[in-house]
Amino acid sequence: MDAIDEFDVQILKQLEKDGRMAYSAIASTLGVSNTMVHQRVSRLIEQGILAGIKPVLDEKRIGYDWGAFTGISLEKDSDSNRIIEELKKIPEVTECYYITGIYTLYIKIIAKNHEHMRKILYEKVDSIPGISKTDSIIELGCAFKRNIIL
Protein backbone atom coordinates (compact mmCIF):
# COMPACT_ATOMS: atom_id res chain seq x y z
CA MET A 1 0.00 0.00 0.00
CA ASP A 2 1.33 3.41 -0.93
CA ALA A 3 1.63 5.98 1.83
CA ILE A 4 -0.57 9.02 1.65
CA ASP A 5 1.12 12.30 0.83
CA GLU A 6 0.31 15.90 1.71
CA PHE A 7 -2.13 16.29 -1.22
CA ASP A 8 -4.05 13.22 -0.01
CA VAL A 9 -4.17 14.67 3.51
CA GLN A 10 -5.44 18.02 2.22
CA ILE A 11 -8.12 16.33 0.11
CA LEU A 12 -9.23 14.27 3.12
CA LYS A 13 -9.37 17.42 5.27
CA GLN A 14 -11.63 19.08 2.71
CA LEU A 15 -13.92 16.03 2.56
CA GLU A 16 -13.99 15.93 6.38
CA LYS A 17 -15.42 19.45 6.39
CA ASP A 18 -18.06 18.54 3.80
CA GLY A 19 -18.25 15.07 2.27
CA ARG A 20 -20.46 16.45 -0.52
CA MET A 21 -17.90 19.03 -1.60
CA ALA A 22 -17.43 19.01 -5.38
CA TYR A 23 -14.06 17.82 -6.63
CA SER A 24 -13.81 21.10 -8.56
CA ALA A 25 -14.12 23.07 -5.30
CA ILE A 26 -11.45 20.93 -3.66
CA ALA A 27 -9.21 21.35 -6.71
CA SER A 28 -9.69 25.12 -6.66
CA THR A 29 -8.92 25.33 -2.94
CA LEU A 30 -5.77 23.24 -3.30
CA GLY A 31 -4.64 24.73 -6.63
CA VAL A 32 -4.67 21.41 -8.47
CA SER A 33 -6.72 19.92 -11.30
CA ASN A 34 -10.14 18.26 -11.01
CA THR A 35 -8.62 15.16 -12.56
CA MET A 36 -5.95 14.96 -9.86
CA VAL A 37 -8.55 15.20 -7.08
CA HIS A 38 -10.73 12.56 -8.75
CA GLN A 39 -7.77 10.21 -9.24
CA ARG A 40 -6.56 10.71 -5.66
CA VAL A 41 -10.02 10.08 -4.16
CA SER A 42 -10.43 6.97 -6.33
CA ARG A 43 -7.03 5.69 -5.18
CA LEU A 44 -7.83 6.39 -1.52
CA ILE A 45 -11.06 4.40 -1.92
CA GLU A 46 -9.29 1.52 -3.71
CA GLN A 47 -6.68 1.38 -0.93
CA GLY A 48 -9.40 1.32 1.71
CA ILE A 49 -8.16 4.52 3.33
CA LEU A 50 -11.37 6.32 2.42
CA ALA A 51 -14.20 3.89 3.19
CA GLY A 52 -16.76 5.93 1.30
CA ILE A 53 -18.62 9.15 1.69
CA LYS A 54 -21.71 8.54 3.78
CA PRO A 55 -24.19 10.71 5.63
CA VAL A 56 -23.62 11.10 9.37
CA LEU A 57 -26.96 10.63 11.08
CA ASP A 58 -27.93 12.27 14.33
CA GLU A 59 -29.72 9.28 15.83
CA LYS A 60 -31.50 11.34 18.49
CA ARG A 61 -33.12 13.59 15.86
CA ILE A 62 -34.61 10.57 14.09
CA GLY A 63 -36.13 9.11 17.25
CA TYR A 64 -33.36 6.91 18.68
CA ASP A 65 -32.91 8.42 22.14
CA TRP A 66 -31.15 5.50 23.83
CA GLY A 67 -27.67 4.16 23.27
CA ALA A 68 -25.77 1.38 24.99
CA PHE A 69 -22.30 -0.10 24.87
CA THR A 70 -22.49 -3.84 25.45
CA GLY A 71 -19.68 -6.26 26.23
CA ILE A 72 -20.32 -9.78 24.98
CA SER A 73 -18.81 -12.98 26.40
CA LEU A 74 -18.90 -16.02 24.16
CA GLU A 75 -19.14 -19.67 25.07
CA LYS A 76 -16.34 -20.29 22.54
CA ASP A 77 -14.27 -17.51 20.97
CA SER A 78 -14.03 -19.64 17.83
CA ASP A 79 -17.74 -18.88 17.26
CA SER A 80 -17.05 -15.15 16.93
CA ASN A 81 -17.42 -14.99 13.12
CA ARG A 82 -20.82 -16.70 13.21
CA ILE A 83 -22.00 -14.50 16.08
CA ILE A 84 -20.81 -11.35 14.31
CA GLU A 85 -22.85 -12.36 11.25
CA GLU A 86 -25.92 -12.69 13.49
CA LEU A 87 -25.23 -9.29 15.09
CA LYS A 88 -25.05 -7.73 11.61
CA LYS A 89 -28.68 -8.80 11.10
CA ILE A 90 -29.79 -6.54 13.98
CA PRO A 91 -30.12 -3.02 12.49
CA GLU A 92 -29.88 -1.33 15.90
CA VAL A 93 -26.36 -2.77 16.40
CA THR A 94 -24.34 -0.03 14.73
CA GLU A 95 -20.77 -0.98 15.69
CA CYS A 96 -18.93 -4.14 16.71
CA TYR A 97 -15.35 -4.47 17.94
CA TYR A 98 -13.02 -7.29 18.93
CA ILE A 99 -11.56 -6.39 22.32
CA THR A 100 -9.23 -7.75 24.98
CA GLY A 101 -10.23 -8.35 28.58
CA ILE A 102 -13.23 -10.14 29.99
CA TYR A 103 -15.33 -9.75 26.82
CA THR A 104 -14.65 -10.96 23.30
CA LEU A 105 -16.82 -8.40 21.49
CA TYR A 106 -18.08 -4.92 22.28
CA ILE A 107 -21.08 -3.51 20.43
CA LYS A 108 -22.93 -0.20 20.20
CA ILE A 109 -26.71 -0.41 20.19
CA ILE A 110 -29.16 2.41 19.50
CA ALA A 111 -32.83 2.24 20.46
CA LYS A 112 -35.92 4.43 20.46
CA ASN A 113 -36.62 4.05 24.19
CA HIS A 114 -35.93 1.80 27.16
CA GLU A 115 -38.51 -0.82 26.09
CA HIS A 116 -36.99 -0.99 22.60
CA MET A 117 -33.52 -1.37 24.18
CA ARG A 118 -34.79 -4.19 26.42
CA LYS A 119 -36.23 -6.03 23.40
CA ILE A 120 -33.01 -5.67 21.42
CA LEU A 121 -30.91 -6.98 24.31
CA TYR A 122 -33.18 -9.76 25.56
CA GLU A 123 -34.98 -10.88 22.42
CA LYS A 124 -32.32 -10.33 19.77
CA VAL A 125 -28.77 -10.20 21.17
CA ASP A 126 -29.17 -12.60 24.09
CA SER A 127 -30.98 -15.12 21.89
CA ILE A 128 -27.96 -15.62 19.60
CA PRO A 129 -26.60 -19.12 20.28
CA GLY A 130 -23.05 -19.01 21.64
CA ILE A 131 -23.40 -15.78 23.62
CA SER A 132 -22.92 -16.62 27.28
CA LYS A 133 -23.22 -13.17 28.85
CA THR A 134 -23.81 -9.51 28.02
CA ASP A 135 -23.06 -6.47 30.13
CA SER A 136 -24.42 -3.08 29.04
CA ILE A 137 -23.60 0.49 29.90
CA ILE A 138 -26.24 3.05 28.96
CA GLU A 139 -25.00 6.08 27.04
CA LEU A 140 -26.19 9.44 28.38
CA GLY A 141 -25.05 11.48 25.38
CA CYS A 142 -22.15 11.89 23.01
CA ALA A 143 -19.73 14.66 24.01
CA PHE A 144 -18.06 14.43 20.57
CA LYS A 145 -17.47 12.01 17.73
CA ARG A 146 -14.86 12.47 15.04
CA ASN A 147 -12.45 10.89 12.64
CA ILE A 148 -8.76 10.82 13.42
CA ILE A 149 -7.31 14.29 12.91
CA LEU A 150 -4.77 14.35 10.07
Side-chain angles (χ1 to χ4, degrees):
M1 177 188 312
D2 297 331
I4 62 174
D5 65 16
E6 188 57 33
F7 279 115
D8 295 328
V9 170
Q10 292 306 315
I11 290 167
L12 291 170
K13 284 182 177 182
Q14 293 299 312
L15 290 172
E16 179 71 22
K17 290 179 196 172
D18 179 0
R20 297 176 298 169
M21 183 179 273
Y23 291 169
S24 59
I26 296 171
S28 176
T29 300
L30 301 180
V32 297
S33 71
N34 260 359
T35 303
M36 179 182 176
V37 172
H38 187 272
Q39 288 173 342
R40 293 293 184 110
V41 169
S42 294
R43 184 175 50 82
L44 291 167
I45 291 169
E46 286 171 17
Q47 291 178 333
I49 294 168
L50 183 59
I53 299 170
K54 303 173 188 174
V56 177
L57 301 178
D58 183 331
E59 291 119 356
K60 302 224 184 287
R61 289 184 183 255
I62 58 172
Y64 288 82
D65 289 331
W66 280 62
F69 298 96
T70 301
I72 300 176
S73 297
L74 307 181
E75 291 170 5
K76 295 187 302 188
D77 286 346
S78 60
D79 286 341
S80 63
N81 288 337
R82 180 187 53 78
I83 290 168
I84 289 167
E85 289 306 311
E86 292 300 313
L87 290 167
K88 285 179 182 178
K89 295 175 185 176
I90 304 170
E92 297 90 349
V93 175
T94 59
E95 299 175 47
C96 180
Y97 299 91
Y98 295 104
I99 60 169
T100 62
I102 60 173
Y103 305 111
T104 303
L105 301 171
Y106 208 65
I107 61 173
K108 170 87 186 271
I109 302 170
I110 62 164
K112 294 179 179 181
N113 52 46
H114 72 278
E115 181 62 19
H116 186 207
M117 181 65 74
R118 186 193 65 74
K119 285 182 178 182
I120 296 164
L121 284 168
Y122 294 168
E123 296 174 16
K124 294 182 180 182
V125 175
D126 285 347
S127 69
I128 297 172
I131 291 181
S132 62
K133 181 183 181 212
T134 61
D135 187 18
S136 296
I137 301 168
I138 299 299
E139 170 222 322
L140 298 176
C142 180
F144 70 89
K145 188 176 183 179
R146 65 178 176 208
N147 287 323
I148 188 74
I149 298 171
L150 298 174

